Amino acid sequence: MTKQIVHDEVQDVVTVEGLLFFDTAGKLQLRQDYFSRPQSHLLVDRLMEVIDRSSGDVLYRTPTLKGMNLGGALRPGEGEAHPNERVIRLQDGTLVLLISHIHGMNGRQLVIRLGYSMAPLQARMFQFLLVLLIAIPIALLIAGAAGQAIARRALSPVEEMAKRAEGITAKNLHDRLNTSNPDDELGQLASAFNHLLDRLEQSFDQLKRFTADAAHELRTPIAAMRIIGEVALEENEGNVSYKEVLSSILEETARLNETIDALLLLARAEATQGGRETQSWSLQSVVNEVLGLLEVLSDEKGIRVVQEGSYVSNANIRADRGLLRTAIMNVLHNAIKFSPRNGVIRIAYDGLAPTRNAVQLYVQDEGPGIAEDEYEQVFERFFTSNSHETATFSGTGLGLSVAKLVIERLGGSIYFDHLAVGARCRIELPLSRDDARTNEQFD
C-alpha cells in the first residue's frame, strides 16, 4: 500500500514540475487549470511546499496545508535521492508521507515537497478493522452453523447405519446395511459389515441345522429303544426274543455312541486352532497306524491296500496327531465300507509345487462312487445319500464332516475328484517347516 502511494506521489511530482511557473512579479505560482488534466486529479488532496534551495525561503505552499510547515527547514542533501521519501507529522498531528525532489527553474534550484496525508488511510484502516471486528464474529457464527449442518448431513449415513446395525439381532440377521455408493469409505465399511453379517447368518443357519439334525439323530435311536423295550415287556416272550431285543438295544446304543463320539470330535476340532502344534509327524506313520486299526474290517472283506509314492509319504506334518488320525480314519473307513469284496484301495502320496509347501494324500476305492450332485453335500453334517447303492452303508453322516473340519483347521483341504468309477478323496496338508526344503527336492 505504501509503495503504491510513493509511486503515485513520484508521478505527481513530475506533474507539478510542469505546472509551476514564475509570474511577472517573480512570484512562484501553480497553474490552476491542472484540474482539466486527467493525470492531475490526484493533486487535489496533496500537500505541497516549494522551497528555494539557495535561500531556504518557502516560495509556494498549497492551501491544503493551512499555513503549516511541510517538513520544516531543508535537510542536507534533501531531494537529491530519488525517490526521497520520509514520514513526518504536521503541527496538527497529521501523519504525512513526504516526497522531496530538486527541480531547476529559471536558473534557480527549487526543492519540491509533495506529501500525502495518511489520515484517510488511517481512517480506512480503522473502518476496515471495525468491519473485521463486526464481520468476523458473524462470519464465525455463519461458518459454524454451516459446518454443523454440513457435518450433520455428511454423518447422517453413519447415524443411519448405526441405528440399523443396532436393530439387527439374531431374529433378523438377513437385514443388511444400505450401500448407496460402495466405492466410498462408508460404502466399503457397510460392505464389510454386510459380509460379516453374511458369515454370521451362515454360521447361525449351520448351527440351527446342526442342532436339528443332532436332535433328530439322537431322538430316533432312543425312541426305537423305548418301543423295543415296551413291546418286549408286553409280549413277555421267551429268551430268544429277549436276546433279539437286547441286540437291537445294543445296536441302537452303539449308534448313539457313534453319534455322540462324532459330536465330541466336532466340538474338539472346532476348538482347535491350527499352527500351534509343536511336534511334527510322518504322514505315512499316521496312515499305517490307521490301517492297522482298520485291518480287521479290510481283512473281513478281503480288501487289498496298495500304497504308492513313498518318497513323499515320509514328509512330516505339524498337526494334532489325534485329530489327524481321526480324519484319515474316517476317510479310510468310508473307503473300506463302500468298497466291494476283494477290492483294492489305493493310497498315493504326491508333493506339490515348492511354493505350496504341502503334500497330497489320495485314497481311491472301487465302490459305487458319488452322485454328481452330492460331491459337496457329502461333507455336510448328518448327510446321507439317497442312492440305493450307498444307502445300506450310510452311517451317522458325521464322518466326512469331522474329516473336513479337522483338515481345514490344520490348514489343509479335502475334496473328492470326479470319477466315473469309484471315489477318490484328495487331502492336501501343509508340510512342517523342516520338510519344506524336502518338498523342493521332490519337485
Side-chain angles (χ1 to χ4, degrees):
M1 187 69 177
T2 305
K3 291 183 178 179
Q4 183 61 40
I5 295 173
V6 172
H7 178 268
D8 292 341
E9 286 206 300
V10 170
Q11 296 295 325
D12 291 343
V13 167
V14 175
T15 302
V16 166
E17 289 176 348
L19 296 175
L20 291 174
F21 69 97
F22 286 100
D23 58 9
T24 55
K27 187 176 182 180
L28 185 65
Q29 299 290 343
L30 182 68
R31 294 178 60 178
Q32 298 300 316
D33 60 348
Y34 62 86
F35 292 104
S36 62
R37 303 189 181 196
Q39 68 274 21
S40 304
H41 66 282
L42 293 176
L43 296 178
V44 175
D45 59 349
R46 293 293 190 268
L47 306 173
M48 187 176 68
E49 190 177 67
V50 181
I51 302 174
D52 190 332
R53 192 183 185 193
S54 58
S55 61
D57 297 335
V58 176
L59 302 178
Y60 181 81
R61 180 175 289 151
T62 56
T64 52
L65 282 172
K66 298 177 181 179
M68 294 181 293
N69 291 324
L70 185 61
L74 286 175
R75 295 187 173 187
E78 181 177 352
E80 293 179 353
H82 182 76
N84 187 333
E85 76 274 8
R86 57 192 169 109
V87 177
I88 63 170
R89 187 179 294 276
L90 297 179
Q91 295 174 355
D92 60 358
T94 304
L95 285 176
V96 173
L97 180 61
L98 182 65
I99 293 292
S100 299
H101 181 64
I102 298 175
H103 175 63
M105 191 172 190
N106 295 341
R108 303 169 64 178
Q109 284 192 331
L110 307 178
V111 177
I112 301 174
R113 288 175 172 173
L114 190 63
Y116 175 80
S117 175
M118 303 293 288
L121 178 60
Q122 290 178 321
R124 291 179 185 178
M125 294 298 293
F126 178 76
Q127 292 174 355
F128 180 69
L129 178 61
L130 186 62
V131 169
L132 287 180
L133 292 176
I134 297 174
I136 287 177
I138 297 175
L140 289 177
L141 290 175
I142 295 174
Q148 186 178 7
I150 293 172
R152 184 179 301 171
R153 183 175 181 182
L155 295 177
S156 60
V158 179
E159 186 177 359
E160 182 182 354
M161 289 169 57
K163 289 181 179 178
R164 196 170 182 85
E166 288 177 354
I168 296 176
T169 63
K171 297 180 180 178
N172 58 344
L173 272 178
H174 57 277
D175 286 349
R176 295 292 182 269
L177 301 182
N178 296 325
T179 54
S180 56
N181 186 3
D183 296 328
D184 61 10
E185 288 77 5
L186 289 179
Q188 294 175 0
L189 177 62
S191 298
F193 189 79
N194 287 339
H195 291 159
L196 173 63
L197 290 178
D198 290 341
R199 295 192 294 273
L200 285 176
E201 186 178 13
Q202 185 178 1
S203 299
F204 266 72
D205 291 341
Q206 289 178 352
L207 181 61
K208 289 178 182 177
R209 289 197 300 271
F210 174 76
T211 304
D213 293 340
H216 175 75
E217 292 296 326
L218 293 175
R219 185 175 59 185
T220 302
I222 291 174
M225 292 167 57
R226 180 179 178 181
I227 292 172
I228 293 171
E230 290 175 351
V231 170
L233 289 175
E234 289 177 357
E235 293 179 352
N236 191 19
E237 296 178 352
N239 293 334
V240 176
S241 298
Y242 277 113
K243 287 183 179 178
E244 293 179 354
V245 169
L246 290 175
S247 298
S248 299
I249 290 176
L250 290 175
E251 184 179 349
E252 295 299 336
T253 304
R255 178 181 174 84
L256 273 177
N257 284 333
E258 185 180 353
T259 302
I260 293 172
D261 289 343
L263 292 176
L264 291 175
L265 281 172
L266 281 171
R268 182 186 171 191
E270 286 179 339
T272 301
Q273 295 182 357
R276 294 186 176 183
E277 292 75 15
T278 57
Q279 293 182 330
S280 57
W281 314 95
S282 167
L283 179 59
Q284 189 177 30
S285 68
V286 178
V287 173
N288 289 336
E289 181 180 346
V290 173
L291 288 175
L293 295 173
L294 298 175
E295 186 177 4
V296 176
L297 295 177
S298 58
D299 291 344
E300 183 181 355
K301 297 183 70 174
I303 295 173
R304 187 164 56 93
V305 179
V306 178
Q307 294 195 56
E308 301 171 345
S310 59
Y311 61 94
V312 181
S313 63
N314 292 322
N316 290 328
I317 307 298
R318 190 179 298 276
D320 186 312
R321 186 180 178 90
L323 288 177
L324 178 61
R325 184 181 59 187
T326 300
I328 295 177
M329 177 179 288
N330 289 346
V331 174
L332 287 175
H333 184 264
N334 264 12
I336 295 174
K337 187 166 56 177
F338 290 101
S339 291
R341 288 190 172 278
N342 302 319
V344 177
I345 295 177
R346 297 186 180 279
I347 300 175
Y349 307 89
D350 189 15
L352 295 178
T355 54
R356 301 282 297 274
N357 289 331
V359 63
Q360 284 187 328
L361 172 66
Y362 301 88
V363 178
Q364 183 173 354
D365 60 54
E366 297 175 340
I370 301 174
E372 190 63 29
D373 57 343
E374 294 179 350
Y375 276 92
E376 296 296 332
Q377 293 178 329
V378 293
F379 293 107
E380 293 182 359
R381 295 172 183 178
F382 298 107
F383 172 77
T384 54
S385 175
N386 294 324
S387 173
H388 295 292
E389 296 178 330
T390 60
T392 55
F393 303 107
S394 297
T396 61
L398 290 173
L400 290 179
S401 302
V402 172
K404 181 179 177 62
L405 183 59
V406 169
I407 296 300
E408 290 181 348
R409 288 303 170 97
L410 298 180
S413 61
I414 179 173
Y415 52 91
F416 280 93
D417 292 329
H418 291 250
L419 296 179
V421 178
R424 183 169 63 195
C425 182
R426 186 191 297 255
I427 301 174
E428 181 178 324
L429 290 168
L431 290 171
S432 63
R433 294 180 179 177
D434 297 335
D435 279 11
R437 298 177 181 175
T438 306
N439 187 44
E440 296 177 2
Q441 296 175 1
F442 292 153
D443 184 69

